[in-house]
Amino acid sequence: RNMATQRREHQHRERGDEGEDVVDLENHRPHPSVLLSSSTTPSPPKKKRHPFSSASMNETNTDDGKEQTSHTSLKVLCYLLIFIASFVFYEDLLVARVAVRKHFFGLESGVGASQLLGEEEPESDLIDTRTGKLDLNLRHISKRKRERVETIEEHNEKELIDRVGLDKAEEIVEEEQEEKEGAEMALQIEKEEEEKKKREKEEAEARRRIEEEEEETRRKKEEEKKEVLERERREMEEMGRAKEDAKEDEEKKEALEEEEAKKQSEESKSSRDDRNTNNINLGEEPEHFSEKTKEGSYVRATSHYGLSWSPPAPTAPPTPTIPKVVEEAVEIGDSTAISLEDQAPNFDIFTGGALPLSDPEDTPEEHEWRSIGQVMPINGIDLDFPGNLKVAAERRSFRKEIILFVSNRGGNHLAANTVANLRKLGFEHYILITNTAETCYDLLKGPWGVDCGWTSFLQNRAKQMGTFQVTAEEQATPFRLWWVRFHYMERLVGMGYNPMYVDTDVRFEMNPYPLLKSPPFDKFTLFAQDENGHPGGLNIGCVYAQNAPEFGVTRWVLNETVSRMLRIIDTEPPLQKWNGQVAAGAKETLWDQHIFNDVVETAVSGKPVFKRSMQRLIDPGDGNRLRDDWVKNQNYDHSAWDLSMEKIDEKVLPLGLKDVDVRPMKVDDTYEIKSKKFQGLKGFSPTDNGKDPNKDEYVCGFPPWFVSGWSGIAGPAQVQGQPGYWTAKPARIVMGHAVGALRKTTTFKGLGWWNYGAEAYKPYKLQNVEEKLGKKGVLGFIGLKTNEANAIVGVESHGLSVARVVEIATSAGRRPISPTVPCDAPWIEKNPSAMHGIMMRHQIVLSQLCGRERNEMCCQSLNFDCDEGVMLEVDFWNDPRYARFRDDIIVVSAKDVVNDSGNEIDLSTIEVKIDSLSQGKKTVFVDLAALEDSSIVPKGVGEAKYVPERDAIFATCDRLDCRPPNKPFPSEHEPCRRVTS
């Protein structure tokens, strides 16, 4: 029995228990034949007749008459006529019957009513089947309707079972039920689509209103900005006139001073010529600066420095021949920038395509430090040529401030990024120093027209540099460029300027000058990044000198740092290590950071210190025990910072620092400041030539929130880069130095610190490949997941996925998007102190700039990063040149791409398949989530297409060629390399 039958019987039983009669309308429908008697039907039951009715009188006459046979035929005829009349007037008789019942009994027959209402069946929903009467109660009507439907369904099911059998009937019923559910689902989907369209329409309208409001706000801001600029222009014109007047007075004063200095120089010339500079008396006190010129000179060795050699006197560099490229640059002048159209007509396809230089983002409060338009170009001059540094300082300084940074040819894109970073703060008072004239010219002729000069410093010591193996110019240790920072800082301090040197991996998050010029920092004369918590542990990626006396200790520290390097490199015979070999290498005895720290400790202790540089001459064996013993035997004083808690004006502090708990660095509204007063070295106290003989000079270690480090730097993790806190908004730091970070360009991109367009200053080899593949579009894979906990296996698996993406995308005729690492991968190093619980140095950089809205977290690979030929996913979402790809995306399931095996992709047909699935979209993302194994991109099989383009990418970006037998080697920290055993 089916459920409908059981329900019906149960209801009947319930009614029977109540003592009610159940009327089955299906089996007891009235028929015309039951209304009148017939010769062929049983006689109806006798009814009580009225004593005066015609029927009673006929019956009496019939019973009393004795000639019944004579009336039989008449009786039959009457019955027949009555039967015919009943058949013809059936409906009229029913109406009459209802009228009679209503007249005599005040009731209305349900059966008669249904027929009066034109119902074919007497079991209308309006009729109570138990009484046969009308029942207009809506609840009862609904109940009877359900019962009638169930009865019909039961009847139909019985007929269906009788006709096709039970099994087939069940299949038919199931199919009908599925069709019914499908129809309901279709209706639901249609309803949801309508609601979705309605929501989208409302959202579009809301966006339109917001855009209109933003446009109105932008228009108002532009008008306000124009007013401010016009006001500034008028003010600057007035300042310019005042400056010109002051300059004329200063020139007159300098002319008089030069004439006086010339006289003094002529008077002392003969005595200086007689001095034997190669045989200085080792018992003499260290001499003061030999020439009282603003460019100064370096001090030669004496016994006070603990050195036993006397190098030859420094010689003046020869007059260099100005290369033709520099002459051309000077002729070009300020119009060095090549137009975007000439640089790269299809710049949105190329990785290195040109983009305009961003405008400043400074606020009105910062305008007092805005130097854009207030400086003049130097157009590629040799800064070491006599007098050129002074000219460059005059042309490029602003309020006596100058920012220095250096670049070789391979680092020009990093230097350009620094220029763009400074410009956003309104700064243009910088001097960019390159190693060659050609390198500078590359910057001058680029799309941003970056101004620069070059240096010939130490080129007259090519032989000595070769002996100490420090001639490399395009490696990570460019010796001449490293040393030129102190060489020029010392001379600029002597000229009265405040120079700041920064590496090109330093990021300015905010304007540092309001802090430097306010208490407590305004009293310090020398700054450097605090690396390990004491004055002898400074990092020189950021060094600043301000308000230093011309002949004071601060300038002596800078001068002595370069002097010690020159004394080492000029030794005859060359300085040797414990094993008899020359003390060669830029990071050995000649390491500029070690020598600088020794000199700083010398200045704060008043005693000569050489513990970092000279211990490199001693055998490092036995765990550096011999070196440590040597340092102990020198009896150097232990240097320590003087600590103080200082209040700082909140207006000049980073906005994000206020609510960060970084005790003891910050307690309530006071901040820990580390400084040390310079004692000076005997014989080098400030002289009468100093600006302020009584001025105290101090060295300060930048607080870790002022100049923060990536990792391994003194200070709490909450302001460091590797734990992810450089992505905090608002910023917690003033400047960030990515010391310790790997793959600096990719790291900066992940942090949002990269200025797109700087890549135009980097040589690229694959622009033809990118143009060919980029015309059709790009192809990437999303949904990578892994449960692998072993870092070696996890990194190797991701490297293989990257290589497969390159193979599949190029065979599809599209440019590949290098996938990010799943941030939830178990093999990624976790740390509860990190901002997002992730802290890994070698494999990934954490970014919060992925997704359409640039607010999703992703982990960009460092092992296998390459931004040429392939497209980094973080670039896809952020590079302005790729906007047309971001605006035209479709996501397809990997099941529609793989072959029947489910884990391979046919390279010979992938182009046709992707083109059909793309629906004309420029960007196709293949979602791996539907595959059984989403931990790796499926393997490509079959004959590949666009093989030359694929091989060119792997040849140029060999870091990501992880096709077997290549794999990360010798550890998971490395890129892929060929492994034969």
Side-chain angles (χ1 to χ4, degrees), residues 368-386:
E368 62 173 321
W369 291 102
R370 180 169 176 170
S371 59
I372 292 179
Q374 307 302 311
V375 298
M376 300 174 66
I378 55 177
N379 292 322
I381 63 174
D382 178 8
L383 297 169
D384 229 56
F385 191 79

Side-chain angles (χ1 to χ4, degrees), residues 286 299-309 483 536 556-557 559-568 571 575 588-603 605-618 627-628 630-637 639 681 684:
V299 181
R300 293 181 291 278
T302 70
S303 59
H304 287 272
Y305 298 101
L307 306 178
S308 59
W309 67 87
W483 278 101
W556 177 84
V557 168
N559 183 289
E560 175 65 9
T561 299
V562 182
S563 294
R564 290 191 182 187
M565 178 273 294
L566 293 175
R567 292 199 294 272
I568 293 173
T571 54
L575 190 64
E588 292 296 325
T589 303
L590 286 170
W591 195 352
D592 55 350
Q593 183 162 292
H594 280 181
I595 294 178
F596 173 76
N597 277 285
D598 283 345
V599 175
V600 168
E601 281 207 89
T602 298
S605 66
K607 302 176 182 179
V609 176
F610 295 89
K611 64 182 178 183
R612 288 165 192 79
S613 57
M614 288 303 155
Q615 70 166 285
R616 294 278 177 158
L617 302 177
I618 301 172
R627 290 184 174 182
D628 294 339
W630 177 84
V631 172
K632 291 178 182 179
N633 293 334
Q634 303 306 308
N635 295 318
Y636 292 130
D637 293 338
S639 62
L681 191 63
F684 276 90

Side-chain angles (χ1 to χ4, degrees), residues 201-217:
K201 185 177 180 181
E202 293 175 351
E203 291 174 357
E205 181 65 21
R207 285 196 301 270
R208 184 187 64 78
R209 288 196 299 270
I210 293 172
E211 289 174 357
E212 291 177 354
E213 293 174 358
E214 290 178 349
E215 178 64 22
E216 180 65 20
T217 303

Side-chain angles (χ1 to χ4, degrees), residues 37-268:
S37 300
S38 172
S39 59
T40 60
T41 59
S43 299
K46 292 181 179 181
K47 295 183 181 180
K48 185 176 181 179
R49 304 180 184 275
H50 197 278
F52 300 104
S53 65
S54 60
S56 298
M57 294 176 65
N58 291 337
E59 184 178 343
T60 303
N61 293 336
T62 303
D63 293 338
D64 293 341
K66 296 182 179 179
E67 296 179 355
Q68 294 181 355
T69 57
S70 62
H71 297 289
T72 300
S73 59
L74 180 61
K75 182 178 180 180
V76 172
L77 179 61
C78 289
Y79 283 144
L80 181 60
L81 290 173
I82 292 171
F83 177 79
I84 293 172
S86 299
F87 184 83
V88 174
F89 302 105
Y90 172 73
E91 293 184 358
D92 295 334
L93 290 172
L94 289 178
V95 173
R97 179 173 177 264
V98 171
V100 170
R101 286 175 59 86
K102 183 176 181 181
H103 177 74
F104 286 98
F105 303 103
L107 300 174
E108 193 172 292
S109 170
V111 175
S114 67
Q115 292 175 347
L116 280 174
L117 295 172
E119 298 284 348
E120 295 181 359
E121 301 292 344
E123 61 271 28
S124 167
D125 297 336
L126 304 175
I127 301 168
D128 187 339
T129 56
R130 294 176 295 179
T131 63
K133 300 176 182 179
L134 281 176
D135 183 1
L136 301 181
N137 186 296
L138 295 178
R139 184 170 58 83
H140 295 171
I141 292 172
S142 176
K143 180 178 180 182
R144 287 192 293 272
K145 186 179 292 185
R146 290 196 303 270
E147 291 174 352
R148 179 165 60 84
V149 171
E150 292 172 356
T151 302
I152 294 172
E153 289 178 351
E154 179 183 354
H155 178 71
N156 292 341
E157 288 178 5
K158 288 180 179 179
E159 290 183 353
L160 182 63
I161 293 171
D162 294 340
R163 187 170 70 251
V164 300
L166 180 60
D167 294 339
K168 185 65 175 177
E170 289 179 348
E171 293 179 3
I172 295 173
V173 170
E174 289 178 358
E175 292 176 357
E176 291 176 349
Q177 184 65 22
E178 290 177 356
E179 291 177 358
K180 182 179 179 181
E181 292 175 354
E184 292 176 352
M185 186 178 295
L187 290 174
Q188 181 66 21
I189 292 174
E190 184 178 355
K191 182 179 179 180
E192 291 176 354
E193 286 293 332
E194 291 177 355
E195 292 177 352
K196 181 179 179 182
K197 290 179 180 178
K198 183 178 179 181
R199 286 196 306 271
E200 290 177 349
K201 185 177 180 181
E202 293 175 351
E203 291 174 357
E205 181 65 21
R207 285 196 301 270
R208 184 187 64 78
R209 288 196 299 270
I210 293 172
E211 289 174 357
E212 291 177 354
E213 293 174 358
E214 290 178 349
E215 178 64 22
E216 180 65 20
T217 303
R218 186 187 64 79
R219 185 183 62 78
K220 290 181 180 178
K221 286 184 178 179
E222 287 181 353
E223 292 177 355
E224 293 174 357
K225 185 177 180 181
K226 289 180 180 178
E227 293 177 359
V228 172
L229 291 175
E230 180 62 23
R231 186 167 60 252
E232 287 180 354
R233 185 186 65 78
R234 292 194 297 268
E235 293 174 354
M236 294 310 301
E237 287 179 355
E238 295 175 358
M239 290 176 60
R241 288 192 293 269
K243 187 176 181 180
E244 289 177 359
D245 295 340
K247 186 176 181 181
E248 291 179 1
D249 296 338
E250 186 177 351
E251 287 176 352
K252 293 178 182 179
K253 183 179 178 181
E254 287 180 355
L256 294 175
E257 291 177 352
E258 288 178 3
E259 185 177 353
E260 181 66 23
K262 184 177 180 181
K263 290 180 181 180
Q264 294 178 1
S265 177
E266 290 176 353
E267 292 174 357
S268 59

